[in-house]
Amino acid sequence: MVVEADGGSRGNPGPAGYGAVVLDAGARQVLGEVYDGLGITTNNVAEYRGLIAGLSAARDLGATEVEARMDSKLVVEQMSGRWKIKHPPLQELADTARELAAGFDAVTFVWIPRKDNARADALANRAMDGESSPTLDPSAAAGPAPKPPAGTTASTDSAAAAAWTGQTGSPVRLILLRHGQTELSIERRYSGHGDPELTELGQQQAAAAALAIAKRLSRQGVEPAAVLSSPLRRARQTAAAVAESTGAELEVREGLIETDFGGWEGLTFTEARERDPELHGRWLGSADVEPPGGESFRAVGERVEAERARIVEEFAGRTVILVSHVTPIKMLLRTALGAGDEVLYRMHLDLACLNIADFYPDGGASVRLVNETSYLDDLR
């Protein structure tokens, strides 16, 4: 049999995943495939994990001889014994791979160009996107799975999550995108109901995020039901880029607007603290405290939850893209996690970051992704 294996990380180290495909000896018929996320680790570790998964799958399919193909020169050369392994974590993984290899009559390791390893690469990317199939999937033997009908979520990872957590029904998947950079975010000033535009970099961030979302949905065969945006200009500009890339209709939702910071609008953290030291201190410690003339986090949470409930009812079983701000996105993730107020102060969300949460009709929820920004690497 032939094993095609790959692994990757978005950042090094960064969010990582692996994928492996087992084919017949002529490499024409797919016999099975495996892929899974690895959390935060390095690219080389992910590549080794892909090889291990592929060899394990070939063993389970009854292979006696294996040709393992990878586009990682390092793994192929190390497993062939031509290059030394200097890093202990890789040595442990290589030992595991060699133990698996010893169970076959013969194993050869072959380097192939990346373009020839597209099947395994695609699975590794699906794993990094949050999908998972760590055990052998014999259904792949029938060929590529058909794409779901347009407009459905058709998400096998959602089904897997539900199976593990007991949730029932098809979830509404919320893809949560924070807007791009503004002049106020450069200077780290409170930016609530004020309405600054995106900077030039912010527009580039919006375009990069929009393309990443469109590619993700295309790979999954998912047609988004809508792009819902905060009414503020920075969010609407970001949402417009997403709507153009995905072809989904853009709709403004007032419930997705950022916190009203009242008298602190436009101030830095230090300026606000110096202006209202006692109030600022209480505000940092309680979601019930309002900025001067502004809105408490409790009030924000209530309106965001009302909006979420409307979205879940309106778009049952669909995928919806929400373009909003730090606080509303944190509120949605908090709800999905079932966490308390403290998570609002401990969660960091970068500009133009991507987050994903599934909300099930039975009230269950699953957080799939938080603060993904790898698509912005070329802009930094």
Side-chain angles (χ1 to χ4, degrees):
M1 294 181 187
V2 172
V3 169
E4 296 175 351
D6 198 12
S9 61
R10 293 169 178 168
N12 199 20
Y18 68 79
V21 183
V22 182
L23 306 105
D24 66 0
R28 290 182 295 271
Q29 176 67 45
V30 175
L31 304 178
E33 56 186 32
V34 286
Y35 52 96
D36 199 9
L38 297 171
I40 304 298
T41 191
T42 66
N43 187 68
N44 290 338
V45 166
E47 290 170 337
Y48 263 108
R49 290 291 298 273
L51 174 62
I52 290 168
L55 292 175
S56 298
R59 176 199 59 197
D60 294 344
L61 287 168
T64 57
E65 297 183 359
V66 172
E67 181 178 291
R69 301 175 179 176
M70 301 185 69
D71 60 62
S72 170
K73 189 75 169 176
L74 179 133
V75 174
V76 168
E77 293 299 314
Q78 288 180 343
M79 289 301 299
S80 300
R82 293 185 289 268
W83 289 5
K84 292 183 178 180
I85 303 174
K86 299 179 180 179
H87 301 291
L90 295 188
Q91 183 65 64
E92 293 178 9
L93 292 169
D95 289 344
T96 299
R98 289 194 177 103
E99 288 177 9
L100 285 166
F104 299 101
D105 292 341
V107 177
T108 55
F109 300 96
V110 179
W111 177 85
I112 58 175
R114 184 175 183 180
K115 65 181 178 63
D116 294 338
N117 204 27
R119 284 175 287 214
D121 178 72
L123 292 177
N125 274 285
R126 287 173 66 179
M128 286 184 277
D129 287 341
E131 299 184 49
S132 176
S133 181
T135 56
L136 189 63
D137 180 10
S139 66
K147 285 190 175 183
T152 65
T153 53
S155 180
T156 56
D157 53 319
S158 294
W164 279 103
T165 57
Q167 292 138 0
T168 59
S170 297
V172 174
R173 167 156 292 183
L174 300 186
I175 297 178
L176 310 170
L177 178 65
R178 187 187 173 194
H179 63 79
Q181 184 194 74
T182 70
E183 290 294 341
L184 289 182
S185 57
I186 294 174
E187 300 175 2
R188 302 182 68 82
R189 295 182 179 274
Y190 286 109
S191 183
H193 285 197
D195 209 13
E197 293 184 315
L198 296 179
T199 62
E200 181 178 351
L201 176 58
Q203 294 173 13
Q204 294 172 354
Q205 291 171 335
L211 180 60
I213 291 172
K215 287 182 176 179
R216 172 190 292 268
L217 295 178
S218 177
R219 284 197 300 269
Q220 297 172 349
V222 173
E223 179 181 325
V227 177
L228 307 181
S229 174
S230 155
L232 296 175
R233 185 162 41 179
R234 57 192 183 273
R236 286 189 287 109
Q237 288 177 309
T238 304
V242 177
E244 182 178 357
S245 289
T246 62
E249 183 176 350
L250 172 59
E251 180 181 340
V252 171
R253 294 288 180 104
E254 295 291 332
L256 298 178
I257 197 170
E258 178 60 291
T259 305
D260 183 355
F261 292 113
W264 295 340
E265 181 74 23
L267 301 183
T268 65
F269 181 92
T270 300
E271 290 169 345
R273 182 177 58 189
E274 291 176 348
R275 169 182 153 160
D276 301 295
E278 189 273 337
L279 177 60
H280 196 263
R282 287 194 294 114
W283 177 74
L284 288 173
S286 172
D288 295 303
V289 176
E290 300 172 353
E295 184 181 28
S296 70
F297 284 154
R298 184 76 63 219
V300 177
E302 289 173 356
R303 66 169 164 81
V304 170
E305 173 56 24
E307 187 65 53
R308 184 199 68 82
R310 285 191 291 269
I311 292 169
V312 169
E313 181 178 0
E314 182 178 351
F315 297 102
R318 304 290 301 280
T319 292
V320 184
I321 304 164
L322 274 59
V323 183
S324 187
H325 312 267
V326 167
T327 313
I329 293 174
K330 284 185 176 183
M331 294 295 178
L332 290 164
L333 292 172
R334 181 189 68 170
T335 297
L337 290 168
D341 293 339
E342 63 274 6
V343 76
L344 302 174
Y345 306 96
R346 300 185 182 187
M347 188 187 306
H348 177 80
L349 299 179
D350 287 303
L351 291 163
C353 71
L354 187 63
N355 312 268
I356 299 176
D358 292 343
F359 292 93
Y360 290 80
D362 65 358
S366 176
V367 174
R368 309 295 302 174
L369 188 68
V370 176
N371 202 39
E372 161 65 2
T373 60
S374 62
Y375 45 81
L376 302 178
D377 286 348
D378 292 340
L379 302 179
R380 295 190 175 106

